Structures are given as structure tokens and as C-alpha cells.
Amino acid sequence: MGRCHEILCGRILFAVAFGLVIVGAPLSLAAETLRDTIAAGLDKSDILAGERQRFIASRQAIGQAKLGKELTGTITMSDSELLRDSSSISGGFKKRYSRSGSLVFSKTLVDFGETDLKVDAARYSVDAARATYISIEQNVIMALITAHLDVITAREEASIRKSNIARLIAQRDAAEIRLANGSATPSDVAETNARLARAYSDDVLTDSTLIDAEETYLSLTGLSAGELVTPLVPAELPLTITAAEEKAEQNHPEILSAIAAEKVARLQFPILQSSVKPTVNFSLSASSLDQTATTADKEELSATLTFSTPFLVTNATRSKAREALSSHNQSKFTVTEQKRKTRLAVRTAFRAFHASQGQLDAVMSENTSAQLLAENAAIEVEFG
């Protein structure tokens, strides 16, 4: 039964990994205790908390991209006093002052789509950050599921090792009795003692593995591993490799992140083109000047409409254009490579899951046959 339990845990792990590779989102498992493990681990994960802050920061790029068409205002104030040496004035100094202030509002009316393109690129960047966050979250969930199942498997294996030691002790005692009766040889007793020594060695290693598993669980969740329950195998999984690959290409976060990055790179060249097109700016300003001589005081209100356009293409602009095109080509290759890696991972996970399922069925059948054999042997001994 211990072997069956170990294979079942492996099958569950393959199934959950397979599901995460395909759907790109955490699966809803039936075992409540596993949900508690995942909830505690997600709450404790520092890497996930850091990625969450990075995602929140990336969302601010949309507001920053709209700066090109936002209304801006500037207030400028100055106050100065001048003391000039003068022999004609009592005290020896002539005092003059000057105070001025201005208020300017400005806004870009037309930029031929540059701001809109930057906003679109910022939105795609947010999509990429969101997909990256989901990918990190999946990695954390997989680590938690692995830790949960490792504790269960290590405990089962430790129980089996201790049962094996008790069985070998009984065999050794029986061998010693047979040796005393002359029906066994010293070699038989030595062989039993050797197997018992090996069992003690395996038990020590198993206890160490169990401690490692429980410490890993504690490190990831901040909770002590109590009576953990083996979760059910997820049922909503694709039935064919082709269906699995299709779901992965549609939903896997690393593919979605690569696609979003490709869209951002695709917009860089149009953004560069828009930056060298004409712009129309409007500004409204009001200013006031107050000086010692009243004839110099003045107040002004002005409105300015400015049309500007570059007419020389610089080497820097050409370099940026080549960089944008190369970056876009690189991002397209990245998308293709990510799809290839994901398809391969899906196929590997699909085969591993079904192989573990077949292995579990075989071990369960073997266990049933062994139980029948033990029952038949007991009956034969009882009735001669």
C-alpha cells in the first residue's frame, strides 16, 4: 500500500503540473487541507509579494503615457531688491525693488497619434506583467503542492520502513529458533541480520527525508505539517495531447507574456515615426511685473499656437529605427521559441501523467493479488 500511495502522490503532482502548464491558472482542488496549504503559502511568499508590487508599478505606465496630451500648468514668481551706492541720498544707498509673476497653461493639441500609440504600448506592457505575475504564482503553487505531497509520501515511507524492521526482527527470531532446532544454518541467521541492518540504515535515511519534507513545508507555509490529507486527482484535464497543446497556446502565461512583449516591440517603430511628425501646441500665459517706477509696471495676457516639425533625419533617429525593427524581430522569435518549449512541456507532462496512472493501476492490481495469495496461504495452513 505504501508503494501505491507514493505513486498516487506522484500521479497527483503530475496531474496538477500538467493542468497548470495547460490552463495557466490555479486549479481548484477538492482537498480542503491542500487549499489551506496553498492559501498559507501564497500569503507568506515574498517572491509573489514582490511580483505583485512590480505589477502594480507597471500599471502606472498607462497614466505616464498620457502625459503627452495632458494640460500642464506652471507658476513662476520672483522678488528682488537692489541697493545701489548713491551719495545724493541720505544713508548712502538707493533702493529699488522688482516683483514679477506668471501663470502658463500649455497643451499639445495634435501629435499625430504618438500619445495614443504610447498608451497602447503601456497597456500591452501591463498585459505582459500580468502574465508574468500569474506564471510566478503558478510556480509558488506548484512548490506548495510538491511540499504537501512530499510530507505525505515521506510519512508513508517512514511507516513502511518501521513495519519492515518489525517484520525482519520476527524473521531473525524465527531463524535463531530454527538454528537452535537444527533446521537452519548460521548463514541463514547472518543473512537475516544483514537485511535487518540494511533496514535500520534505510529507516535513518527515511527519517531524514521526512524531517526535510516537514521543514520545507514549514518554510513555505509558516505552518506545521499536521494530519495532511491526500488530495483528489484533478478531473478536468484534456483527453488528448492535441487538445492539451491547444489549451496551452491559448492560456499559458509565459506564452501570453511573450505575445504581449511582441506587441509592445511592434509599436516602437510607429511611435518613433510619430515622434518625427509635426506637432501643434497651445499655451495661455498671464504675467505681471511690479517695479519701483510705476511706469515700468505691466500686466500681460497672451495665447500662443505653435506648429513645429523636424526636417532633418539624424543618425540617432536611424539607429533607433534599426533598433526598433531588430527588437521586434527578436520578440517574434521569442514567441515562437516559447510556444515550442510549452508544447514540449505539455507533451512530457501528458505522457508522465498517463504513465503514472498506468503504474498506479498495476501496483494496485499487484497489491490485490498479494492479498489474495496471503489469504489463500492462511486457509491452506489452517486446513492442512
Side-chain angles (χ1 to χ4, degrees), residues 9-10 12-14 16-17 20 29 34 37-38 138-154 212-214 216-217 220 228 231:
C9 289
I12 292 171
L13 182 56
F14 277 128
V16 175
L20 289 178
L29 302 179
L34 182 56
T37 297
I38 293 175
Q138 283 186 4
N139 293 336
V140 173
I141 290 174
M142 278 303 305
L144 292 168
I145 294 173
T146 302
H148 184 98
L149 296 177
D150 282 348
V151 172
I152 296 174
T153 303
D212 291 342
E214 291 179 342
T216 300
Y217 185 90
L220 291 175
L228 301 182

Side-chain angles (χ1 to χ4, degrees), residues 44 129 139 211 224 227 305:
K44 190 177 184 299
N139 293 336
I211 293 173
S224 298
E227 295 297 327
L305 188 66

